[in-house]
Amino acid sequence: MNSKLTKSEKATLRERAEEAWRVELEESLTEDIMKTFVMKKVGEVGFVEKDRPECGSLDAILRPTKGLICTSDVHTVHGAIGERKNLTLGHEVVGVVEEVGELVTKFKRGDRVAVGSITPDWGSDAAQAGHPSQSGGALGGWKFANVKDGTFAEYVHVNEADANLAPIPDGVSDEAAVYVCDMMSTGFMAAENAGIPIGGTVAVFAQGPVGLMCTAGARLQGAGYVIAVESVPKRQELARYYGADEVVDFTKVDPVQRILDVTGGEGVDAAIEAFGASKVFKQCVMVIKPGGKVSNAGYHGEGEVIEIPREEWGVGMAEKDIVTGLCPGGRLRISRLLRLLENGRLDPTPMTTHTFQFLEIEKAFRMMENKEDGMIKPLIDFGR
Amino acid sequence: MNSKLTKSEKATLRERAEEAWRVELEESLTEDIMKTFVMKKVGEVGFVEKDRPECGSLDAILRPTKGLICTSDVHTVHGAIGERKNLTLGHEVVGVVEEVGELVTKFKRGDRVAVGSITPDWGSDAAQAGHPSQSGGALGGWKFANVKDGTFAEYVHVNEADANLAPIPDGVSDEAAVYVCDMMSTGFMAAENAGIPIGGTVAVFAQGPVGLMCTAGARLQGAGYVIAVESVPKRQELARYYGADEVVDFTKVDPVQRILDVTGGEGVDAAIEAFGASKVFKQCVMVIKPGGKVSNAGYHGEGEVIEIPREEWGVGMAEKDIVTGLCPGGRLRISRLLRLLENGRLDPTPMTTHTFQFLEIEKAFRMMENKEDGMIKPLIDFGR
Amino acid sequence: MNSKLTKSEKATLRERAEEAWRVELEESLTEDIMKTFVMKKVGEVGFVEKDRPECGSLDAILRPTKGLICTSDVHTVHGAIGERKNLTLGHEVVGVVEEVGELVTKFKRGDRVAVGSITPDWGSDAAQAGHPSQSGGALGGWKFANVKDGTFAEYVHVNEADANLAPIPDGVSDEAAVYVCDMMSTGFMAAENAGIPIGGTVAVFAQGPVGLMCTAGARLQGAGYVIAVESVPKRQELARYYGADEVVDFTKVDPVQRILDVTGGEGVDAAIEAFGASKVFKQCVMVIKPGGKVSNAGYHGEGEVIEIPREEWGVGMAEKDIVTGLCPGGRLRISRLLRLLENGRLDPTPMTTHTFQFLEIEKAFRMMENKEDGMIKPLIDFGR
Amino acid sequence: MNSKLTKSEKATLRERAEEAWRVELEESLTEDIMKTFVMKKVGEVGFVEKDRPECGSLDAILRPTKGLICTSDVHTVHGAIGERKNLTLGHEVVGVVEEVGELVTKFKRGDRVAVGSITPDWGSDAAQAGHPSQSGGALGGWKFANVKDGTFAEYVHVNEADANLAPIPDGVSDEAAVYVCDMMSTGFMAAENAGIPIGGTVAVFAQGPVGLMCTAGARLQGAGYVIAVESVPKRQELARYYGADEVVDFTKVDPVQRILDVTGGEGVDAAIEAFGASKVFKQCVMVIKPGGKVSNAGYHGEGEVIEIPREEWGVGMAEKDIVTGLCPGGRLRISRLLRLLENGRLDPTPMTTHTFQFLEIEKAFRMMENKEDGMIKPLIDFGR
């Protein structure tokens, strides 16, 4: 940005730009083609035009109102899940129902809805086994920006709409609701998986937006003492806001030693890995007491293996179990998370550090790569 | 053995030797000292004399009748748990109560009893948390031949006798009962931890005595298809005897590929690691379906780390949980296992490939090191 | 039957009758109408002709080969679920796929399949919550002969075919497979719900076909001692065949006292109610130890209330939990049960005491009302 | 009280009385006898002198500082658990360790401690099975004022002191800590047993002190909507203070209908019975959705049976499970609850509506019978 302009000149320019984008978007809405923000190939992103998605008999088409960019979108562009050609990015979105298939009974055009980032096939064996996020194979419920186009588009296709959409209650804003799709669902899942006893002790490693929601989730599960491991001041501050009793700065002290110290040497009941690295995972194994749990929320994007430290794992016999999960989706889950917002249990919007118009998304994306300007979550406003 | 002697001459010699041992043992019984088979230091075993153990108010003193040697005794002597000086070895034993402390109410001199290899402190925090085997710290319930003298002795000290001893039902022989202490308790635990759905599929890696009891345990838990991975013919045969539907010889085929093939590519509901090696552990992660479980029974004695294969683990999100445990002990557990023997649910004695008198134990121990002569479990007869 | 005919004359007559039925059925197959055996109104059954069911896009149409009559069909006719007009009865069936909807991908015409008696809506909130049998309201997954036509028809409609059908393995006969639909699924569910510890003790009240499968299920779950309560000799015999260690004849001894006696006064770990009466339910509460479970399998068809005995329930504090369920359905469940048959875990066919041709079903039905001639389960042969 | 005295005269009289009590207590402390407040027989209470309790090798003797009266003390005096002669009442107490047995290692004279109302035998079969409150038989962990003298005494005997005492953290007052013994442990237990999904809906019937802690516990477990059923204004107010989103006055509306209405007809995920009456229990069964849970916290003191409404229970098949429990005790549990207080998760002291000196306890007891003057919990101050 040109810093020589006055603040008011910049505001005017911004207003004009937003007006221009709105017009551009509205024009495209009258046509069968739409703008989408895609991964053109590994390492390259940009806008392309695509045909509007078609609506199958069980499906819905959504017009997004608000979205969020996720670090995993960045990973994807860097090649974490392999090559993709012009794949529409994004998986965190709320919006308005544009169209539903003829077998859809619970939603209709105009409904204000959220959709989980994971949209399972509910009849699959995995869903019947209680693992809907794995429907159709490992991580198979993860469809947006993985096996089909994602949510950074003017229209978004939702499979099994009756089962995967949830109505947003009147008292909940789009800006808050969009956090249920992934951040709250994933973070709370990790806290639930951790099996925290009421009054128990928990360490949460990393306080990015998922880690912050792990911290909030640990509190919602009744933890008696929550230790957050984080070095970035803004994130430390939010960690305390969401309920951490203590914040450990791993750049200043050894987090393993510190956690053992504050627990009288015995370790915590549960550790949550919200970073996604073998080194951090090992620390989780080290800080839990025998009989404790490591709950993994992190996306492990690198290396051949994740390592379990043999001795601290009690040579495989210390009852230090390792539990994992992938962002639970589905109408019921999403509705329950929205209920928490409706009844004031927490406010996720302090995590929104920046806001961008849809057509500005490339800039937001670039900033997300390096978490520039203290970025935690950039909100994408679809301008409607 | 001198092979030039006739069979009958050898039998006579053996009879004389057994008579001599019996006299020697009986003499020592009248004294306050007793014979024990110890780890003198890393790499060296042998008999030493020790004072008889004293009986605290909550304790019992046991006179062993039958015992078993465990591979973990061999690991211990090789230094797996560090240096020990004249530590009495052994942790699988049944016998007769010789003496009880004044606060013991459920047992009296003369009772025929089994004692779990793990003898927890039942009032400890870990036991209150549902992890008695971890009482007093990681693996802290494991006292015999670890933090106190083991069971290869003329008298054995049992802590918290009311809670850690179990009466042996009349219809159950000592030779069978001695398998509940560790082999059945550990193997069945691994099957229970595996969370096998009724009619589900299970792979058990390695069919040593613990692995065989994992196989039997999988059947007792309702598994619909049990695949045992093993290369030794005698163990393969026992695997089938204890309920394996298929045996995979890993020296002939890649077990991961084979297990995926027989399950139509989807993998098994659970894999049990009954070997104790990072390589085998990785295979377990690879053969389970998303949402499946790896249940660890193996004692991981080597290496800095146990490795989880990142991709096959679904980058930490495939809901492939890892559960561990340490041989559950305690009167209730041991009694339930004895009930299974009493009511003919299984016969563990086919695992007894060899029998030795107590004073012959050094030979048995040496054979156990290399599993000579197809040894699976050597029974120790204390001659009473 | 006319007993004055010779055995050979009777056989000839029967052959002719069967031939006549076959011709009658085959003729109707060429038309759009079909024969169905219905509840005409409370208290009245009979055959009526109906249009063949239509196949929606997610559905399948099945041609039955073998079916079973269930006691609950009898209850239904007596008015247990209220009035119904010409409702086709039956919910236990195997057959051949005749037609599938255009969205069905896992099955095709000609496939040999089983369908659970409960056919859930897998996208419903209840299914997402882990309670598919309750999809769409209490017992809402129970559609056959409840909210839509049942299986005693030449053609049967199956909702969500991909999720609710299961292929029958080659080695499993239709006669055996038909037991997975309800008897095995319900009986095993009750055993699973009972939370039986390995080696634990279980009492199963009533040994009708569901009760027998509770007994078999308790064994498959690792029970160490199974006590069956039953007075009918044939059922007592089958109870032992399916794994009861002891059978208590409640007409000769007080079953509560007997069960307390054989457990040394402490009671059993779990009691399964497989009868469906408040009186029996109370006995279940009485015979479990504190911390034990009552698992309900019985259909409670009478009375305003089911009674919990206050004192024996420990004034609400004895941790005697009460768990319930409704026959789990779905491809995964049914496939796992078929796997148990495929691998010889049990043989349900000894429960088939009688066999009838489809057009003889009214007679079978009448006999089922009073369990005439020692009837346990009557198999219905659809003649193809 | 004589209302004709001025406020200041009354204060002076009270001061003198307290001084007199203090002297009387101090004198008795130098002797081997002590004052205790007992149930003399059914229907009669009063002070008697008893010998100080003796301290066994595993035990501790406690000098109470603060105690609470529980409604169950009132039930006991009315004969709910049968006749008792001069049984010391009370089971909620904190204090200072006076003496420990020679096998006690974790506590010493002078330690400030809380003791759970339930003091299990940790080596018992029931404790090994995960049901310590049932050790030694139904409700067997409940010893105070049941099978041995209770806590309304100058000295209190605690069995298995290492396992049943917990140190009170410095930042926690005795006045708050005394709530962990029963109110918080029982109320939170009921919320934990209810299996509340994060964001789920809960109804809590009755908002006495246990019910209020059920409400607080439901919030600590992540409930998204908590409905409290209560008619007394002060209790309604506290229900909101502890987290109820809605309060239903059952004297003004039918609570079952109201709960169904506010949940769109589907009912709640869980209902907690915190009253102890068959009628209320039935309402709990009625208001939960299929697949929901009834969690019982109430002490059912009357009637032969507790009734389950047959139809609303789905004829035994609606997966409406019933779970029960008895106030978990033990060092670990009590320590976790104290940690919640230490870290400001809740403040139980608003439930203390009245305070009495120990020697005034009879008056407190009489007021508790009818909950006079809006009494919720009367705190007993032992004057040290």
Side-chain angles (χ1 to χ4, degrees):
Chain A
M1 265 200 192
N2 188 337
S3 59
K4 289 181 184 168
L5 294 176
T6 66
K7 208 171 173 182
S8 127
E9 283 171 327
K10 284 195 278 188
T12 308
L13 279 178
R14 177 147 187 109
E15 263 174 45
R16 284 188 199 157
E18 292 193 2
E19 177 58 22
W21 293 325
R22 208 160 286 135
V23 171
E24 192 175 341
L25 278 172
E26 269 166 27
E27 284 173 0
S28 72
L29 289 186
T30 62
E31 300 165 23
D32 280 350
I33 56 168
M34 63 172 189
K35 286 198 189 309
T36 68
F37 181 70
V38 305
M39 168 183 174
K40 292 184 172 176
K41 61 180 184 184
V42 168
E44 187 180 337
V45 296
F47 277 94
V48 305
E49 293 194 336
K50 295 191 181 181
D51 289 343
R52 280 200 199 182
E54 286 183 24
C55 188
S57 54
L58 296 165
D59 308 336
I61 304 298
L62 208 67
R63 284 195 304 139
T65 53
K66 297 286 182 289
L68 293 166
I69 301 181
C70 184
T71 304
S72 69
D73 290 313
V74 176
H75 288 323
T76 298
V77 173
H78 289 183
I81 59 173
E83 183 58 282
R84 294 290 192 283
K85 287 287 173 200
N86 287 341
L87 175 76
T88 304
L89 292 164
H91 57 260
E92 299 178 75
V93 78
V94 294
V96 175
V97 173
E98 173 76 12
E99 186 183 352
V100 296
E102 71 271 16
L103 296 176
V104 174
T105 64
K106 296 183 193 299
F107 298 93
K108 61 177 194 309
R109 183 180 163 90
D111 285 351
R112 200 168 142 251
V113 294
V115 57
S117 297
I118 303 300
T119 52
D121 304 313
W122 289 97
S124 64
D125 279 4
Q128 292 189 22
H131 298 281
S133 293
Q134 314 299 329
S135 55
L139 322 191
W142 175 20
K143 301 186 190 305
F144 287 135
N146 183 11
V147 297
K148 76 172 187 181
D149 279 329
T151 60
F152 294 149
E154 294 173 69
Y155 295 95
V156 172
H157 172 271
V158 178
N159 59 302
E160 297 191 25
D162 272 342
N164 285 320
L165 292 177
I168 301 177
D170 285 347
V172 179
S173 71
D174 285 2
E175 287 80 357
V178 73
Y179 278 95
V180 305
C181 309
D182 186 351
M183 299 300 99
M184 283 170 60
S185 192
T186 298
F188 292 2
M189 168 203 80
E192 293 166 279
N193 283 350
I196 305 165
I198 204 163
T201 52
V202 187
V204 183
F205 283 78
Q207 294 291 300
V210 164
L212 288 166
M213 289 301 97
C214 294
T215 295
R219 284 296 294 270
L220 282 170
Q221 292 292 91
Y225 198 70
V226 180
I227 306 164
V229 181
E230 180 57 66
S231 64
V232 178
K234 171 69 177 169
R235 292 169 184 233
Q236 291 182 328
E237 183 193 317
L238 280 172
R240 289 193 184 278
Y241 171 78
Y242 284 117
D245 296 285
E246 161 137 6
V247 179
V248 173
D249 183 341
F250 66 90
T251 64
K252 295 185 179 154
V253 294
D254 172 18
V256 171
Q257 192 55 50
R258 176 69 187 159
I259 292 166
L260 292 176
D261 286 349
V262 299
T263 55
E266 71 171 7
V268 285
D269 289 308
I272 301 178
E273 212 285 2
F275 188 80
S278 186
K279 182 184 169 182
V280 174
F281 183 84
K282 282 166 93 163
Q283 293 173 330
C284 289
V285 176
M286 289 175 185
V287 300
I288 56 170
K289 61 179 73 164
K293 277 202 172 69
V294 173
S295 174
N296 189 76
Y299 178 138
H300 288 268
E302 287 179 18
E304 283 297 301
V305 297
I306 289 99
E307 295 178 342
I308 307 173
R310 187 182 65 84
E311 282 193 20
E312 290 89 345
W313 200 43
V315 302
M317 297 178 175
E319 301 176 21
K320 291 185 168 186
D321 292 355
I322 297 162
V323 287
T324 75
L326 171 62
C327 180
R331 185 181 63 239
L332 179 68
R333 171 73 173 183
I334 300 301
S335 294
R336 285 174 176 163
L337 299 178
L338 289 166
R339 188 183 289 130
L340 292 172
L341 298 181
E342 187 182 13
N343 293 306
R345 297 300 194 263
L346 85 163
D347 177 7
T349 59
M351 289 189 286
T352 303
T353 49
H354 299 74
T355 300
F356 299 86
Q357 294 299 307
F358 176 43
L359 294 182
E360 289 180 301
I361 193 169
E362 187 160 358
K363 181 181 168 196
F365 207 86
R366 292 294 169 211
M367 287 179 70
M368 193 67 175
E369 294 219 342
N370 300 306
K371 310 283 190 292
E372 274 175 40
D373 189 32
M375 179 173 276
I376 293 178
K377 276 302 243 195
L379 182 78
I380 305 303
D381 184 344
F382 285 82
R384 47 193 175 190
Chain B
M1 267 203 191
N2 188 337
S3 59
K4 289 181 183 168
L5 295 175
T6 65
K7 207 171 173 180
S8 129
E9 284 170 328
K10 283 195 279 187
T12 306
L13 279 178
R14 176 147 186 108
E15 262 174 47
R16 284 188 198 158
E18 292 194 0
E19 177 59 21
W21 293 323
R22 208 160 285 136
V23 170
E24 192 175 341
L25 278 173
E26 268 165 29
E27 284 174 0
S28 73
L29 288 187
T30 61
E31 300 164 23
D32 279 351
I33 56 168
M34 63 174 189
K35 286 198 188 307
T36 69
F37 181 70
V38 304
M39 166 181 175
K40 293 184 171 173
K41 60 179 184 184
V42 168
E44 187 180 337
V45 296
F47 277 94
V48 303
E49 294 194 336
K50 295 191 181 181
D51 288 343
R52 280 201 199 182
E54 285 182 26
C55 188
S57 55
L58 295 165
D59 308 335
I61 304 299
L62 210 67
R63 285 195 302 138
T65 52
K66 297 285 183 290
L68 292 166
I69 300 181
C70 183
T71 303
S72 67
D73 290 313
V74 175
H75 289 324
T76 297
V77 173
H78 289 182
I81 58 173
E83 182 59 281
R84 294 291 192 282
K85 287 286 173 200
N86 288 341
L87 177 75
T88 304
L89 292 164
H91 55 260
E92 299 177 75
V93 75
V94 294
V96 175
V97 174
E98 172 75 11
E99 185 184 352
V100 297
E102 71 270 18
L103 296 176
V104 173
T105 64
K106 296 183 193 300
F107 297 93
K108 61 178 195 307
R109 184 180 162 89
D111 285 350
R112 200 167 142 250
V113 294
V115 55
S117 296
I118 303 299
T119 52
D121 303 314
W122 288 97
S124 65
D125 279 4
Q128 292 190 22
H131 297 283
S133 293
Q134 313 298 328
S135 55
L139 321 191
W142 175 20
K143 300 186 190 306
F144 286 135
N146 182 12
V147 296
K148 74 171 189 182
D149 280 327
T151 60
F152 294 149
E154 293 174 69
Y155 294 96
V156 172
H157 172 270
V158 178
N159 60 302
E160 296 191 26
D162 272 343
N164 285 320
L165 292 177
I168 302 177
D170 285 347
V172 179
S173 71
D174 285 0
E175 287 80 358
V178 72
Y179 278 94
V180 305
C181 310
D182 185 351
M183 299 300 100
M184 285 170 59
S185 191
T186 299
F188 292 2
M189 168 204 79
E192 293 166 279
N193 283 350
I196 306 164
I198 203 164
T201 52
V202 187
V204 183
F205 282 78
Q207 294 291 301
V210 164
L212 289 166
M213 289 302 96
C214 293
T215 296
R219 285 297 295 270
L220 282 170
Q221 292 292 90
Y225 198 71
V226 181
I227 306 163
V229 180
E230 179 57 66
S231 65
V232 178
K234 171 68 176 169
R235 291 168 184 234
Q236 291 182 328
E237 182 192 318
L238 279 172
R240 290 194 182 279
Y241 171 76
Y242 284 116
D245 296 285
E246 159 135 9
V247 179
V248 173
D249 184 341
F250 65 90
T251 64
K252 294 185 179 152
V253 294
D254 172 18
V256 172
Q257 194 53 53
R258 177 67 187 161
I259 291 167
L260 292 175
D261 287 350
V262 299
T263 55
E266 71 171 6
V268 284
D269 290 306
I272 299 178
E273 211 286 5
F275 188 80
S278 186
K279 183 184 169 181
V280 174
F281 183 84
K282 281 165 95 164
Q283 293 174 331
C284 288
V285 176
M286 290 175 183
V287 299
I288 56 170
K289 61 177 73 162
K293 277 202 173 71
V294 174
S295 174
N296 189 77
Y299 177 139
H300 289 269
E302 286 180 17
E304 283 297 301
V305 297
I306 288 100
E307 295 178 342
I308 308 174
R310 189 182 64 85
E311 283 193 21
E312 290 89 343
W313 199 44
V315 302
M317 298 179 175
E319 300 176 21
K320 292 185 168 186
D321 292 355
I322 297 162
V323 287
T324 74
L326 170 63
C327 179
R331 184 179 65 237
L332 180 68
R333 171 73 172 184
I334 299 302
S335 293
R336 285 174 176 163
L337 299 178
L338 288 165
R339 188 184 289 130
L340 292 171
L341 297 181
E342 187 182 12
N343 293 305
R345 297 300 195 262
L346 84 163
D347 178 6
T349 59
M351 290 188 285
T352 302
T353 49
H354 299 73
T355 301
F356 299 87
Q357 295 299 308
F358 176 43
L359 294 182
E360 290 179 300
I361 193 170
E362 187 160 357
K363 180 180 170 196
F365 207 85
R366 294 290 169 213
M367 288 179 69
M368 194 66 174
E369 294 220 344
N370 300 307
K371 309 283 190 294
E372 275 174 41
D373 190 31
M375 178 174 277
I376 292 179
K377 275 302 242 195
L379 182 78
I380 305 305
D381 185 344
F382 285 82
R384 47 194 175 191
Chain C
M1 260 198 200
N2 187 340
S3 59
K4 290 183 182 169
L5 294 176
T6 66
K7 207 170 173 182
S8 129
E9 283 170 328
K10 283 194 280 187
T12 307
L13 279 177
R14 176 147 188 111
E15 263 174 45
R16 283 186 199 160
E18 291 193 1
E19 177 58 23
W21 293 322
R22 207 160 285 134
V23 169
E24 191 176 341
L25 278 171
E26 267 164 30
E27 283 174 0
S28 73
L29 289 186
T30 62
E31 299 164 25
D32 280 350
I33 55 167
M34 63 173 189
K35 288 198 188 308
T36 68
F37 181 72
V38 306
M39 167 181 175
K40 292 184 172 175
K41 60 179 184 184
V42 168
E44 186 180 338
V45 298
F47 278 94
V48 303
E49 293 196 336
K50 296 191 181 180
D51 289 342
R52 281 201 200 182
E54 284 183 26
C55 188
S57 55
L58 295 165
D59 308 336
I61 305 299
L62 210 67
R63 286 195 301 139
T65 53
K66 297 286 183 288
L68 293 166
I69 300 181
C70 183
T71 303
S72 67
D73 289 313
V74 176
H75 288 323
T76 297
V77 172
H78 289 181
I81 58 173
E83 183 58 281
R84 296 288 192 281
K85 287 285 173 201
N86 287 340
L87 176 76
T88 304
L89 292 164
H91 56 259
E92 300 178 74
V93 77
V94 295
V96 175
V97 173
E98 173 75 11
E99 186 184 351
V100 297
E102 71 270 17
L103 296 176
V104 173
T105 63
K106 296 184 193 299
F107 297 93
K108 62 176 194 309
R109 184 181 161 89
D111 286 350
R112 200 169 142 250
V113 294
V115 56
S117 297
I118 303 299
T119 52
D121 304 314
W122 288 96
S124 65
D125 279 4
Q128 292 189 24
H131 298 282
S133 293
Q134 313 299 328
S135 54
L139 321 191
W142 175 21
K143 302 185 189 307
F144 287 135
N146 182 11
V147 297
K148 74 171 190 182
D149 279 329
T151 60
F152 295 147
E154 293 174 67
Y155 295 95
V156 172
H157 171 269
V158 178
N159 60 304
E160 297 191 26
D162 272 344
N164 284 321
L165 292 177
I168 301 176
D170 285 347
V172 179
S173 71
D174 285 1
E175 287 80 358
V178 73
Y179 278 95
V180 305
C181 309
D182 185 353
M183 299 300 100
M184 285 170 58
S185 192
T186 298
F188 292 3
M189 168 204 78
E192 294 167 279
N193 283 351
I196 306 165
I198 203 164
T201 51
V202 187
V204 184
F205 283 77
Q207 296 290 302
V210 164
L212 289 166
M213 290 301 96
C214 294
T215 295
R219 285 296 295 270
L220 281 170
Q221 292 292 91
Y225 198 71
V226 181
I227 306 163
V229 180
E230 179 58 65
S231 65
V232 178
K234 171 69 177 169
R235 292 169 185 233
Q236 290 181 328
E237 182 193 318
L238 280 172
R240 291 194 182 279
Y241 171 78
Y242 285 117
D245 296 285
E246 159 135 7
V247 179
V248 173
D249 184 341
F250 64 90
T251 64
K252 295 185 180 155
V253 294
D254 172 18
V256 172
Q257 194 53 51
R258 177 67 187 161
I259 291 167
L260 291 176
D261 286 349
V262 299
T263 56
E266 72 170 5
V268 285
D269 289 307
I272 301 178
E273 210 287 4
F275 188 80
S278 187
K279 183 185 169 181
V280 174
F281 183 84
K282 281 166 95 166
Q283 293 173 330
C284 288
V285 176
M286 289 174 185
V287 300
I288 57 170
K289 60 178 73 163
K293 277 201 173 72
V294 173
S295 174
N296 189 76
Y299 178 139
H300 289 268
E302 286 179 17
E304 284 298 301
V305 297
I306 289 99
E307 296 178 341
I308 308 174
R310 188 182 65 86
E311 282 192 20
E312 290 88 345
W313 200 43
V315 302
M317 299 179 173
E319 301 176 21
K320 293 185 167 187
D321 293 354
I322 298 163
V323 288
T324 73
L326 170 62
C327 179
R331 184 181 64 238
L332 180 68
R333 172 74 174 183
I334 300 302
S335 293
R336 285 175 177 163
L337 298 179
L338 289 165
R339 188 182 289 129
L340 291 171
L341 297 181
E342 187 182 12
N343 294 304
R345 297 299 194 263
L346 84 163
D347 178 8
T349 59
M351 289 188 287
T352 303
T353 48
H354 299 73
T355 300
F356 299 86
Q357 294 298 308
F358 176 44
L359 295 182
E360 289 179 299
I361 192 169
E362 188 161 355
K363 180 181 170 197
F365 206 84
R366 293 292 170 211
M367 289 179 69
M368 194 66 174
E369 295 220 343
N370 300 306
K371 309 284 190 294
E372 276 175 40
D373 190 31
M375 179 174 277
I376 293 178
K377 275 303 244 193
L379 183 77
I380 305 304
D381 185 343
F382 285 83
R384 45 194 176 192
Chain D
M1 264 198 197
N2 188 340
S3 58
K4 290 181 184 170
L5 293 177
T6 66
K7 207 171 173 182
S8 131
E9 283 170 327
K10 282 195 279 186
T12 305
L13 279 177
R14 177 152 187 107
E15 261 174 48
R16 283 187 200 158
E18 292 193 359
E19 177 58 23
W21 294 323
R22 208 160 286 136
V23 170
E24 192 177 341
L25 277 172
E26 267 165 33
E27 283 173 0
S28 73
L29 288 186
T30 60
E31 301 165 22
D32 278 351
I33 55 168
M34 62 174 189
K35 288 197 186 308
T36 68
F37 182 70
V38 305
M39 166 181 174
K40 292 184 173 177
K41 60 180 183 182
V42 168
E44 186 180 339
V45 297
F47 278 93
V48 304
E49 293 195 336
K50 296 191 181 181
D51 290 342
R52 280 199 198 182
E54 285 182 25
C55 188
S57 56
L58 295 165
D59 308 336
I61 304 300
L62 209 67
R63 284 195 304 139
T65 53
K66 297 286 182 290
L68 293 166
I69 301 181
C70 184
T71 304
S72 67
D73 290 312
V74 176
H75 288 323
T76 297
V77 173
H78 289 181
I81 58 175
E83 183 58 281
R84 295 289 192 283
K85 287 288 173 200
N86 288 340
L87 176 75
T88 304
L89 292 164
H91 56 260
E92 300 179 73
V93 76
V94 294
V96 175
V97 173
E98 172 76 12
E99 185 185 351
V100 297
E102 71 269 17
L103 296 176
V104 174
T105 63
K106 295 183 195 300
F107 297 93
K108 61 177 194 310
R109 184 180 162 89
D111 285 351
R112 202 169 140 249
V113 294
V115 56
S117 296
I118 303 300
T119 52
D121 304 313
W122 289 96
S124 65
D125 279 5
Q128 293 190 22
H131 298 282
S133 293
Q134 313 298 329
S135 54
L139 321 191
W142 175 19
K143 300 186 191 304
F144 286 135
N146 182 11
V147 297
K148 75 171 187 183
D149 279 329
T151 61
F152 295 148
E154 293 175 67
Y155 295 95
V156 173
H157 172 270
V158 178
N159 59 303
E160 298 191 25
D162 272 343
N164 285 322
L165 292 177
I168 301 177
D170 285 347
V172 179
S173 70
D174 284 1
E175 286 80 358
V178 72
Y179 279 94
V180 305
C181 309
D182 185 352
M183 298 299 99
M184 286 171 57
S185 192
T186 298
F188 293 2
M189 168 204 80
E192 295 167 279
N193 282 352
I196 305 165
I198 204 164
T201 52
V202 187
V204 183
F205 283 75
Q207 296 290 301
V210 164
L212 288 167
M213 290 301 96
C214 295
T215 295
R219 284 295 296 270
L220 283 170
Q221 292 293 90
Y225 198 70
V226 180
I227 306 163
V229 181
E230 179 57 66
S231 64
V232 178
K234 171 69 177 169
R235 292 169 186 232
Q236 290 182 329
E237 182 192 318
L238 280 172
R240 290 196 184 278
Y241 171 77
Y242 286 116
D245 296 285
E246 161 138 5
V247 179
V248 173
D249 184 342
F250 64 91
T251 64
K252 296 185 177 153
V253 295
D254 172 18
V256 172
Q257 194 53 52
R258 176 67 187 161
I259 291 167
L260 292 176
D261 286 349
V262 299
T263 56
E266 70 172 6
V268 285
D269 290 307
I272 300 179
E273 211 286 6
F275 188 80
S278 186
K279 183 185 169 182
V280 175
F281 183 84
K282 281 165 96 165
Q283 293 174 331
C284 288
V285 176
M286 290 174 183
V287 300
I288 57 170
K289 60 179 73 163
K293 278 200 173 71
V294 173
S295 174
N296 189 75
Y299 177 138
H300 289 268
E302 287 179 17
E304 283 299 300
V305 297
I306 288 101
E307 295 178 343
I308 308 174
R310 188 181 65 85
E311 282 193 21
E312 291 88 344
W313 200 43
V315 303
M317 298 178 174
E319 302 177 20
K320 292 184 167 186
D321 292 355
I322 297 162
V323 288
T324 74
L326 171 63
C327 180
R331 185 179 63 238
L332 180 68
R333 171 73 172 183
I334 299 302
S335 294
R336 285 174 176 163
L337 298 179
L338 288 166
R339 188 184 287 130
L340 292 171
L341 297 182
E342 187 182 12
N343 293 304
R345 298 302 195 260
L346 84 161
D347 178 7
T349 59
M351 289 187 286
T352 303
T353 49
H354 299 72
T355 300
F356 299 85
Q357 295 298 308
F358 176 43
L359 294 182
E360 289 179 300
I361 193 168
E362 188 159 357
K363 181 181 170 195
F365 207 84
R366 292 295 169 209
M367 289 179 69
M368 194 67 175
E369 295 220 343
N370 300 306
K371 309 282 191 295
E372 275 174 40
D373 189 32
M375 181 174 275
I376 293 179
K377 275 302 241 196
L379 183 77
I380 305 304
D381 185 344
F382 286 82
R384 45 195 177 191

